[in-house]
Amino acid sequence: MTTGKINVSVENIFPLIKKFLYSDHEIFLRELVSNGTDATLKLKHLISIGEAKVEYGNPVIEIKVDKEGKKIHIIDQGLGMTADEVEKYINQVAFSGAEEFLDKYKDSAKDSGIIGHFGLGFYSAFMVAEKVEIITKSYKDEPAAHWTCDGSPEFTLEPADKTSRGTEIILHIAEDSLEFLEDSKISGLLNKYNKFMPVPIKFGTRTETLPKPEDAPEDYVNETVEIDNIINNPNPAWTKQPTELSDEDYKNFYRELYPMQFEEPLFNIHLNVDYPFNLTGILYFPKLGSDMQIQKDKIQLYQNQVYVTDNVEGIVPEFLTMLKGVIDSPDIPLNVSRSGLQADGAVKKISNYITRKVADKLKALFNENRADFEQKWNDIKIVLEYGMLSEDKFYEKAGAFVLYPTVDDTYFTLEELKEKLKENQTDKDGKLIVLYAGNKDAQHSYIETAKEKGYEVLLLDSPIISHLIQKIESDNSDLTFVRVDSDHIDNLIKKEENTISKLSDEEKETLKTSLETYIPKAYSVQLEAMDSQAAPFIITQPEFMRRMKEMSQSGGGGMFGMGNMPEMYNLIVNTNSDLASSILNTEDKTHQEHLVKQALDLAKLSQNLLKGEALTAFVKRSFEMIK
């Protein structure tokens, strides 16, 4: 037996490891199982190239919990180590690596900026163990070795009587970490971190009843057998080629990833690239609707099938963090801060690749089955609209598949829309006017008025639409979006002809003065000569002010405090209506006030603006009129 001192300058590195390296002590299991997996796969490689003359067999990694003895065993059937290799890889490499790592990261290690630290995993055992043993036998024909360390720099190394190839790590669990001796805790961690590891992981056994033989007698009792409980899927869908997978395979994998998710995904995108970086994965579009408060952190990041995190910000473009699925890449640096990650050149390439791949898939889906794509539009539009705003590369490609639905459920791309509208919805200055509604019910009367003129009205109702149409307008100077309730229809699309007013300028001035006596200050009174059959009072919201306010409320907009401004409305009064003449000509001021307030309330009612006390008074007044 030899004893020695691990060559570290810090007198006792282990408390520092425990204190600084990880805020989550639970990842010790991930690290140790990952090391066992590496040892197993390396052996497989050495056998394949003829360097190791042994049988590979069907190796598993086994985890055993000894609650009474307060021990956890992690056993692999991989390469194993000789005594010299234990000295080299454990005493020298692992702990010098630990010290260097500590020195570099101890100030920021508790910060969530550090995602994970692969290859430095062995000493994470000391986060939960007061003593660690390694019993290992190499695939080479050399004696087994037994290494022990009690959490100080002192260690012992002696021969062992282990005869089977591989390594067993025994953790003597510390008093402050006894929770890890619960089976439920260990199975939960294995399920979280090692669910898709490439080597089978055994944790306990389960009983299975054998089927009854056909020739069994009446009193036959079914046999039961104990079989290994393998808790992982070593060959998950993302490790396969798309040609090997059916639609049902993709759906089954989605259920495997999200067992509590009962709604099917709309479609998936399989990522598979090996140059200039390695990345595989499957992204799923769930049903999203118009809710911007979707829970993110649903995409899981793996490195060589080992779970790392579900915070993929910086790796996946922000607009796609609303999706679900898996990304696996050995090329994502996991020991840098979040800001460093975003500045990393390889990560930027990965992010750009994912953006391009998603755009290409959406274009293909649109071209292959447009009717199906249209049917799904309302469930995916929020992601695509957000992508157009936040990613220039996505915006460039989006014209091929982003849709603009009408209130009658027909769908156009932007180019189709321009072609459809140019004849009827071009104003006297040659500008194309795209009319839209934000709410079919609330703006119903305005939509109907526009349709009577033969105009198309889009239904654009997502919470970021004001930002998006602003961007589209800036890139299309010949086009402007106008909400259908922002002015009288003849003002929204101004043609050459003007309707002549029945009232003289002097009469109009008198009428406006009378109206402003009774109309609240929130309404700007505008007199317009319209068809005598048009509504006498119309409430509109000025497009610019309303849009700026919406943009300010949903972030941005460029105008400080716009989101807190009171609502401003225009009251358009049709000077050719009989009501305008009645208001002008009545000499009874009480009756005049009554007419104005009743007409205003009716206009407010059509905009869903009449509420509370004002609505009660209106109903009461209306019943009085029909007595």
Side-chain angles (χ1 to χ4, degrees):
M1 179 177 88
T2 61
T3 61
K5 197 166 188 177
I6 297 166
N7 185 22
V8 289
S9 56
V10 180
E11 180 52 36
N12 194 343
I13 199 169
F14 303 105
L16 291 175
I17 288 171
K18 195 161 190 170
K19 183 177 177 187
F20 285 124
L21 277 192
Y22 301 98
S23 53
D24 273 339
H25 285 181
E26 64 183 34
I27 66 166
F28 79 92
L29 193 61
R30 177 189 80 180
E31 297 294 321
L32 296 176
V33 171
S34 296
N35 286 352
T37 302
D38 287 345
T40 308
L41 296 178
K42 280 173 184 166
L43 177 66
K44 186 178 188 180
H45 175 68
L46 291 179
I47 292 170
S48 72
I49 62 172
E51 277 199 22
K53 309 291 186 187
V54 293
E55 287 291 321
Y56 185 62
N58 297 299
V60 299
I61 293 165
E62 183 173 8
I63 289 79
K64 292 179 179 177
V65 174
D66 174 3
K67 195 169 181 179
E68 272 187 38
K70 297 183 182 177
K71 289 185 286 190
I72 297 174
H73 301 250
I74 296 118
I75 305 157
D76 70 59
Q77 293 151 28
L79 283 171
M81 290 181 281
T82 64
D84 287 346
E85 286 168 338
V86 171
E87 172 65 38
K88 179 180 176 183
Y89 293 116
I90 301 300
N91 293 341
Q92 293 171 32
V93 175
F95 287 105
S96 62
E99 187 174 28
E100 181 189 330
F101 185 85
L102 257 180
D103 187 52
K104 191 172 179 183
Y105 291 118
K106 65 183 177 186
D107 292 333
S108 61
K110 285 189 172 179
D111 188 337
S112 60
I114 298 210
I115 307 171
H117 325 285
F118 285 80
L120 298 167
F122 169 70
Y123 53 80
S124 65
F126 288 96
M127 293 190 302
V128 298
E130 59 188 13
K131 182 167 86 171
V132 177
E133 297 179 68
I134 302 173
I135 302 169
T136 182
K137 178 164 173 56
S138 171
Y139 71 95
K140 302 167 187 170
D141 188 19
E142 291 199 33
H146 183 182
W147 179 93
T148 309
C149 181
D150 66 357
S152 71
E154 310 293 335
F155 71 89
T156 63
L157 182 60
E158 57 189 333
D161 55 8
K162 180 175 169 65
T163 56
S164 57
R165 180 191 71 223
T167 298
E168 177 174 4
I169 294 174
I170 304 167
L171 308 180
H172 296 259
I173 301 300
E175 289 299 317
D176 63 359
S177 300
L178 297 180
E179 63 188 286
F180 295 108
L181 295 170
E182 300 297 333
D183 283 1
S184 59
K185 180 75 172 176
I186 295 299
S187 62
L189 294 181
L190 292 171
N191 193 53
K192 178 178 179 180
Y193 291 113
N194 306 101
K195 190 175 181 178
F196 300 112
M197 293 282 282
V199 176
I201 297 166
K202 175 188 172 185
F203 183 53
T205 57
R206 54 192 169 84
T207 304
E208 201 162 281
T209 304
L210 296 175
K212 184 177 179 179
E214 284 183 23
D215 57 350
E218 286 287 322
D219 58 349
Y220 178 83
V221 178
N222 284 71
E223 276 189 74
T224 59
V225 290
E226 290 284 316
I227 59 171
D228 290 351
N229 186 35
I230 302 298
I231 58 91
N232 62 322
N233 171 3
N235 303 295
W238 82 80
T239 64
K240 299 172 184 175
Q241 292 297 317
T243 50
E244 298 175 55
L245 299 165
S246 65
D247 284 348
E248 196 54 39
D249 291 329
Y250 283 114
K251 285 177 184 173
N252 287 338
F253 181 58
Y254 184 79
R255 293 182 200 113
E256 196 175 346
L257 280 175
Y258 308 104
M260 300 309 291
Q261 181 69 41
F262 302 111
E263 225 170 3
E264 295 282 332
L266 297 168
F267 49 82
N268 63 270
I269 297 169
H270 198 131
L271 306 168
N272 195 345
V273 64
D274 53 20
Y275 182 81
F277 49 81
N278 281 291
L279 180 136
T280 53
I282 301 170
L283 296 180
Y284 292 93
F285 269 77
K287 283 190 177 183
L288 292 172
S290 294
D291 186 4
M292 281 292 283
Q293 303 307 311
I294 305 294
Q295 186 184 352
K296 296 186 182 182
D297 300 346
K298 288 293 185 185
I299 296 175
Q300 299 174 10
L301 176 65
Y302 286 75
Q303 194 181 72
N304 296 322
Q305 293 177 238
V306 183
Y307 174 82
V308 180
T309 182
D310 60 7
N311 183 345
V312 292
E313 186 187 339
I315 298 160
V316 172
E318 190 183 356
F319 77 101
L320 294 176
T321 57
M322 290 186 269
L323 304 189
K324 296 183 176 182
V326 165
I327 287 173
D328 190 333
S329 175
D331 294 333
I332 295 169
L334 298 176
N335 58 347
V336 295
S337 67
R338 182 70 58 200
S339 58
L341 186 67
Q342 287 164 335
D344 185 273
V347 170
K348 192 68 191 159
K349 283 180 188 164
I350 287 172
S351 181
N352 289 343
Y353 165 78
I354 293 170
T355 299
R356 189 176 76 248
K357 186 76 176 178
V358 168
D360 291 347
K361 175 71 173 184
L362 290 165
K363 183 179 177 182
L365 288 166
F366 175 79
N367 291 338
E368 287 162 14
N369 190 341
R370 177 164 178 163
D372 183 60
F373 193 84
E374 288 178 356
Q375 198 177 352
K376 290 170 177 169
W377 176 252
N378 282 325
D379 291 314
I380 63 172
K381 65 184 176 187
I382 195 73
V383 177
L384 275 57
E385 289 169 354
Y386 189 25
M388 289 174 75
L389 281 170
S390 59
E391 290 285 331
D392 288 341
K393 285 185 170 57
F394 187 77
Y395 181 82
E396 287 164 18
K397 290 176 170 277
F401 52 79
V402 163
L403 293 172
Y404 301 85
T406 71
V407 291
D408 297 317
D409 297 321
T410 53
Y411 294 80
F412 299 100
T413 64
L414 190 61
E415 289 310 309
E416 290 168 349
L417 194 63
K418 288 180 180 179
E419 190 61 33
K420 172 80 175 171
L421 303 186
K422 70 180 182 185
E423 193 172 329
N424 202 25
Q425 289 182 219
T426 303
D427 69 7
K428 61 185 178 63
D429 300 319
K431 197 155 201 172
L432 193 66
I433 310 299
V434 181
L435 300 177
Y436 73 98
N439 184 310
K440 251 200 305 198
D441 293 333
Q443 291 143 29
H444 182 266
S445 61
Y446 301 90
I447 293 167
E448 289 305 304
T449 303
K451 285 166 78 173
E452 282 165 15
K453 293 267 189 182
Y455 297 153
E456 287 283 359
V457 181
L458 302 184
L459 180 62
L460 305 177
D461 57 3
S462 83
I464 55 172
I465 201 64
S466 296
H467 295 273
L468 183 59
I469 60 180
Q470 198 85 351
K471 184 173 176 70
I472 295 168
E473 286 171 343
S474 70
D475 289 333
N476 296 269
S477 56
D478 58 340
L479 170 153
T480 188
F481 284 80
V482 183
R483 205 166 84 176
V484 74
D485 61 345
S486 61
D487 206 335
H488 177 254
I489 192 66
D490 292 339
N491 288 338
L492 294 180
I493 306 179
K494 279 188 178 292
K495 303 291 186 179
E496 291 295 348
E497 64 275 6
N498 285 322
T499 307
I500 297 167
S501 175
K502 290 195 306 189
L503 304 183
S504 66
D505 289 347
E506 189 180 342
E507 286 174 318
K508 285 194 278 189
E509 198 58 45
T510 305
L511 175 62
K512 188 169 186 184
T513 303
S514 298
L515 289 166
E516 286 175 341
T517 307
Y518 311 116
I519 301 290
K521 290 281 189 287
Y523 295 87
S524 170
V525 176
Q526 297 177 7
L527 303 186
E528 299 276 354
M530 296 183 272
D531 187 286
S532 60
Q533 299 306 307
F537 278 30
I538 302 170
I539 292 172
T540 63
Q541 260 195 296
E543 176 73 18
F544 175 77
M545 296 295 285
R546 193 209 74 254
R547 197 190 292 185
M548 288 298 113
K549 184 177 171 69
E550 286 174 355
M551 288 168 69
S552 180
Q553 285 171 333
S554 61
M559 293 190 72
F560 180 75
M562 284 290 286
N564 298 320
M565 279 186 62
E567 298 283 1
M568 299 294 290
Y569 298 96
N570 292 333
L571 176 64
I572 299 171
V573 178
N574 181 2
T575 59
N576 289 341
S577 66
D578 292 341
L579 180 63
S581 298
S582 298
I583 292 168
L584 175 68
N585 297 323
T586 184
E587 292 183 7
D588 182 342
K589 294 298 178 190
T590 304
H591 182 56
Q592 188 181 54
E593 180 181 5
H594 185 84
L595 286 174
V596 172
K597 286 193 171 177
Q598 190 72 1
L600 177 63
D601 281 352
L602 282 165
K604 285 165 78 175
L605 195 62
S606 74
Q607 267 278 43
N608 201 28
L609 293 170
L610 197 61
K611 296 184 171 94
E613 191 178 333
L615 178 59
T616 305
F618 167 76
V619 171
K620 187 176 180 183
R621 193 167 62 240
S622 300
F623 277 128
E624 290 293 327
M625 291 171 65
I626 58 172
K627 270 185 180 178

